[in-house]
């Protein structure tokens, strides 16, 4: 097995309060941003709206389309596919099914030298959008419950599952916070990325928990403080190599994957960094804090 570091001896547990403070700051920034933007910027999958995709004969500037639509009172979001000469036009809630025809009429009049054809049109009503929001949150909630039950069963203690899920929620929430800070849209694709991140993050955490469980049996005379530090140090090389290889793949997707999966790769790219951080600095120290509170000791 490739080893990035031969042997490390970092005191992760001793520095836990500093890392808890870093996590708290990131969470507070996320909360502040969500309040500042008056909620998350949900896509038309959730808010309801209309999507129109047009294929032009020649390459067209998004600025020309935006100007033509704004001139006629239509505020929209645009996404282009230069190689196909296609443009996706998204109009959020407050629209109706007739908006697609109106957009085509406006562009036919305003951009006469570049004909186009309609590739697709989709309309999502506000009721369906609300239903999708509920379904997305249910998907996240029940995945967390399932993880707690599974990890508690596997490690014969609920605290391991709770610590893993707290770290997981930490990763997902801060990633959502990033989307709020840069005012990026939360679409179905981003929700898929968050669920993927949840699976990756808990798997990374379980590896360290597994090593802790093994070391508890092997080093019975060591304190919990020493056991956690030993376990995190022993798996540090594996954690960083795994995260780095995934990060490089996602970096390629981010720059070369095109607009369609841009937000998906952004969510995972940032989530992998935060997930690796929480795996090393947050998850295991939570178990330590729990045991200290439970026994009333100052140090274990």
């Amino acid at each position: 097995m490739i080893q990035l570091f031969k042997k490390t001896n970092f005191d992760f547990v001793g520095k836990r309060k500093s890392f808890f403070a870093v996590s708290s700051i990131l969470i507070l920034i996320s909360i502040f941003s969500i309040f500042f933007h008056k909620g998350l910027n949900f896509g038309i999958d959730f808010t309801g709206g209309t999507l129109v995709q047009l294929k032009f004969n020649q390459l067209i500037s998004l600025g020309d389309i935006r100007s033509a639509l704004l001139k006629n009172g239509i505020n929209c979001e645009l996404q282009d596919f230069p190689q196909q000469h296609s443009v996706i036009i998204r109009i959020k809630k407050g629209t109706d099914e007739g908006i697609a025809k109106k957009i085509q009429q406006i562009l036919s009049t305003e951009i006469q030298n570049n004909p186009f054809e309609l590739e697709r049109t989709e309309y999502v009503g506000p009721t369906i959008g609300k239903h999708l929001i509920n379904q997305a949150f249910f998907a996240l909630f029940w995945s967390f419950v399932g993880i707690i039950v599974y990890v508690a069963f596997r490690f014969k203690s609920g605290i391991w599952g709770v610590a893993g899920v707290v770290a997981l929620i930490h990763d997902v929430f801060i990633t959502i916070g990033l989307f709020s800070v840069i005012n990026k849209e939360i679409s179905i694709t981003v929700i898929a990325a968050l669920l993927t991140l949840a699976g990756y993050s808990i798997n990374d955490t379980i590896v360290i928990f597994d090593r802790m469980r093994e070391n508890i049996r092997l080093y019975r005379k060591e304190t919990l403080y020493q056991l956690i530090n030993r376990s995190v140090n022993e798996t540090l090389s594996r954690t960083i190599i795994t995260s780095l290889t995934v990060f490089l793949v996602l970096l390629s997707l981010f720059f070369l994957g095109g607009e369609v999966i841009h937000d998906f790769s952004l969510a995972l790219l940032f989530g992998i960094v935060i997930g690796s951080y929480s795996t090393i600095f947050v998850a295991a120290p939570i178990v330590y804090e729990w045991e200290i509170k439970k026994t009333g000791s100052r140090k274990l």
Side-chain angles (χ1 to χ4, degrees), residues 52-81 85-91 102-104 106-108 110-116:
V52 181
Q53 184 167 344
L54 303 174
K55 182 178 177 63
F56 289 82
N57 281 3
Q58 303 166 27
L59 186 63
I60 186 166
S61 158
L62 292 184
D64 292 343
I65 297 177
R66 184 174 284 109
S67 300
L69 295 176
L70 278 175
K71 185 178 167 185
N72 290 275
I74 295 180
N75 192 11
C76 62
E77 295 175 7
L78 302 174
Q79 179 182 352
D80 66 337
F81 302 90
H85 298 174
S86 293
V87 175
I88 288 180
I89 303 167
R90 292 187 178 89
I91 305 98
K102 188 177 177 184
I103 286 173
Q104 292 177 74
I106 292 170
L107 294 180
S108 297
E110 300 286 342
I111 307 175
Q112 296 180 0
N113 59 347
N114 194 354
F116 61 84

Side-chain angles (χ1 to χ4, degrees), residues 264-276:
F264 178 86
S265 51
L266 174 64
L268 280 178
L269 199 59
F270 181 76
I272 293 298
V273 175
I274 291 295
S276 301

Side-chain angles (χ1 to χ4, degrees), residues 60-277:
I60 186 166
S61 158
L62 292 184
D64 292 343
I65 297 177
R66 184 174 284 109
S67 300
L69 295 176
L70 278 175
K71 185 178 167 185
N72 290 275
I74 295 180
N75 192 11
C76 62
E77 295 175 7
L78 302 174
Q79 179 182 352
D80 66 337
F81 302 90
Q83 291 181 336
Q84 291 82 30
H85 298 174
S86 293
V87 175
I88 288 180
I89 303 167
R90 292 187 178 89
I91 305 98
K92 285 193 174 179
K93 56 188 175 183
T95 60
D96 55 53
E97 293 179 69
I99 194 73
K101 289 181 181 175
K102 188 177 177 184
I103 286 173
Q104 292 177 74
Q105 288 169 356
I106 292 170
L107 294 180
S108 297
T109 306
E110 300 286 342
I111 307 175
Q112 296 180 0
N113 59 347
N114 194 354
F116 61 84
E117 62 182 45
L118 179 66
E119 287 192 318
R120 65 171 168 141
T121 178
E122 295 174 6
Y123 174 76
V124 181
T127 305
I128 296 174
K130 190 176 179 182
H131 175 72
L132 284 174
I133 290 178
N134 292 335
Q135 291 297 310
F137 279 108
F138 272 127
L140 287 170
F141 175 77
W142 285 112
S143 67
F144 293 157
V145 172
I147 289 167
I148 290 176
V149 172
Y150 168 71
V151 178
F153 175 75
R154 185 170 167 184
F155 288 85
K156 299 177 181 175
S157 171
I159 182 55
W160 300 86
V162 171
V165 166
V166 168
L168 191 160
I169 292 172
H170 164 280
D171 303 341
V172 170
F173 186 76
I174 292 175
T175 305
I176 290 173
L178 171 74
F179 273 69
S180 174
V181 169
I182 59 178
N183 204 22
K184 274 273 186 184
E185 207 172 73
I186 305 286
S187 62
I188 285 285
T189 309
V190 173
I191 295 296
L194 295 176
L195 288 171
T196 307
L197 171 63
Y200 175 87
S201 179
I202 195 66
N203 180 64
D204 221 23
T205 304
I206 291 291
V207 170
I208 291 183
F209 285 178
D210 250 340
R211 182 58 63 92
M212 286 170 62
R213 190 174 55 166
E214 288 171 11
N215 286 339
I216 287 171
R217 287 198 296 263
L218 291 173
Y219 304 97
R220 294 177 184 275
K221 291 184 180 178
E222 289 194 356
T223 64
L224 184 62
Y225 188 101
Q226 293 169 321
L227 282 168
I228 291 177
N229 274 334
R230 174 188 287 278
S231 304
V232 177
N233 276 293
E234 285 177 353
T235 53
L236 185 62
S237 184
R238 175 263 168 207
T239 302
I240 292 178
I241 288 174
T242 305
S243 301
L244 192 60
T245 50
V246 175
F247 183 86
L248 291 175
V249 171
L250 291 169
L251 204 60
S252 303
L253 281 177
F254 181 76
F255 286 111
L256 306 174
E259 287 291 330
V260 175
I261 59 169
H262 186 269
D263 290 350
F264 178 86
S265 51
L266 174 64
L268 280 178
L269 199 59
F270 181 76
I272 293 298
V273 175
I274 291 295
S276 301
Y277 162 79

